[in-house]
């Protein structure tokens, strides 16, 4: 380098700044796609299908960029948490609203099941990202229906919040079913659905600590819809 010493360039910081700019631009693009959809005649189904697919992929990319930024920040220190009490219905309703256009165009029913007054302590932004990513994947692999459910589970150690995302697809591949919260140390991009999202979800869950009890994720097939079931438990 002619002007700067090589060791003065923090490439990871430059990359993080670039990702942040890309995320902001992508957010504007998503807003433009949503506005455009309002001006396309309803009878033009082909156009709406293309717009909904573009919107879906933009949402996935935006989620990945947010995950990358969070991973960078966690590499600098512990994953920063802002824990407060939140209504679970509000979180699930926001997720349903952000994916409604895609569901309407693809004929997929997205529901949530939760007691109206159910509240819990967690970082709302991170848990939203975790659950929304799980829903996006369920919409991708599900056939006609995706259900989000939340409840309080009583264990020997005390109460914990259980949130599940289920679909009616073909389920997780066998290679994923043995994956647990403790086994996800780094993304395995060689596997079809085992990548950054699962690693990020595991990291978010584990960051929620209550008197030594940590959150965790789990995967299974079956459930009420017969497809894949993603679960996150928060102490």
């Amino acid at each position: 380098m002619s002007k700067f010493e090589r060791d003065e360039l923090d490439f990871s910081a430059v990359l993080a700044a670039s990702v942040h700019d890309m995320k902001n631009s992508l957010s504007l693009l998503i807003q433009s796609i949503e506005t455009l959809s309002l001006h396309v005649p309803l009878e033009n189904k082909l156009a709406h299908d293309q717009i909904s697919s573009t919107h879906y992929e933009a949402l996935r990319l935006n989620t990945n960029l947010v995950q990358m930024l969070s991973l960078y920040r966690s590499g600098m220190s512990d994953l920063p948490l802002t824990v407060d009490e939140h209504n679970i219905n509000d979180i699930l309703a926001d997720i349903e609203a952000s994916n409604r256009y895609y569901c309407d165009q693809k004929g997929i029913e997205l529901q949530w099941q939760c007691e109206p007054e159910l509240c819990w302590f967690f970082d709302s932004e991170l848990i939203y990202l975790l659950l929304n990513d799980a829903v996006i994947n369920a919409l991708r692999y599900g056939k006609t229906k995706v259900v989000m459910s939340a409840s309080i589970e009583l264990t020997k150690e005390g109460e914990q919040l259980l949130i599940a995302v289920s679909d009616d697809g073909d389920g997780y591949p066998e290679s994923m079913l043995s994956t647990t919260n403790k086994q996800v140390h780094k993304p395995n991009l060689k596997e079809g659905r085992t990548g950054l999202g699962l690693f990020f979800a595991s990291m978010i869950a584990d960051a929620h600590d209550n008197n030594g009890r940590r959150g965790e994720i789990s995967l299974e097939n079956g459930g009420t819809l017969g497809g894949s079931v993603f679960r996150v438990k928060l102490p």
Side-chain angles (χ1 to χ4, degrees), residues 25-219:
S25 296
L26 190 58
S27 295
L28 293 175
L29 176 60
I30 291 172
Q31 293 177 14
S32 297
I33 293 173
E34 293 172 347
T35 300
L36 176 63
S37 69
L38 300 176
H39 298 282
V40 177
L42 293 177
E43 59 270 17
N44 194 338
K45 188 176 185 305
L46 177 60
H48 275 287
D49 284 344
Q50 293 175 335
I51 292 174
S52 66
S53 295
T54 303
H55 184 260
Y56 171 84
E57 294 299 336
L59 286 176
R60 287 185 64 234
L61 181 55
N62 188 64
T63 298
N64 289 340
L65 291 175
V66 173
Q67 291 171 348
M68 289 176 63
L69 277 176
S70 299
L71 289 171
Y72 168 75
R73 290 165 181 162
S74 70
M76 306 304 293
S77 61
D78 291 336
L79 186 65
L81 294 183
T82 304
V83 176
D84 204 344
E85 187 176 25
H86 301 280
N87 182 276
I88 311 301
N89 264 286
D90 291 343
I91 302 292
L92 302 184
D94 287 345
I95 293 173
E96 188 275 336
S98 68
N99 292 282
R100 185 178 303 151
Y101 180 68
Y102 179 83
C103 291
D104 289 344
Q105 296 305 311
K106 298 300 181 180
I108 300 177
E109 186 179 5
L110 177 58
Q111 299 180 345
W112 77 88
Q113 302 168 352
C114 178
E115 292 294 329
E117 303 303 321
L118 179 58
C119 296
W120 203 255
F121 285 88
F122 52 82
D123 185 304
S124 62
E125 181 178 350
L126 290 177
I127 294 301
Y128 174 90
L129 289 172
L130 181 157
L131 294 174
N132 191 57
D133 188 55
V135 168
I136 287 176
N137 281 309
L139 292 174
R140 180 180 184 182
Y141 293 100
K143 297 176 181 177
T144 62
K145 191 172 185 178
V146 173
V147 175
M148 301 176 287
S149 60
S151 60
I152 301 298
E153 188 176 65
L154 183 61
T155 69
K156 294 180 180 179
E157 292 77 21
E159 291 184 335
Q160 63 183 10
L161 175 66
L162 170 62
I163 304 179
V165 177
S166 308
D167 65 58
D168 62 349
D170 296 327
Y172 293 112
E174 288 298 323
S175 60
M176 293 184 64
L177 294 181
S178 60
T179 301
T180 67
N181 193 62
K182 295 180 181 179
Q183 291 173 324
V184 183
H185 297 296
K186 60 182 179 180
N188 181 7
L189 300 180
K190 294 181 180 179
E191 296 289 342
R193 290 178 16 165
T194 307
L196 183 61
L198 186 59
F199 174 75
F200 186 64
S202 180
M203 185 180 68
I204 290 176
D206 186 71
H208 285 78
D209 181 10
N210 186 0
N211 295 322
R213 298 169 57 212
R214 292 186 174 275
E216 61 181 17
I217 64 171
S218 63
L219 311 174

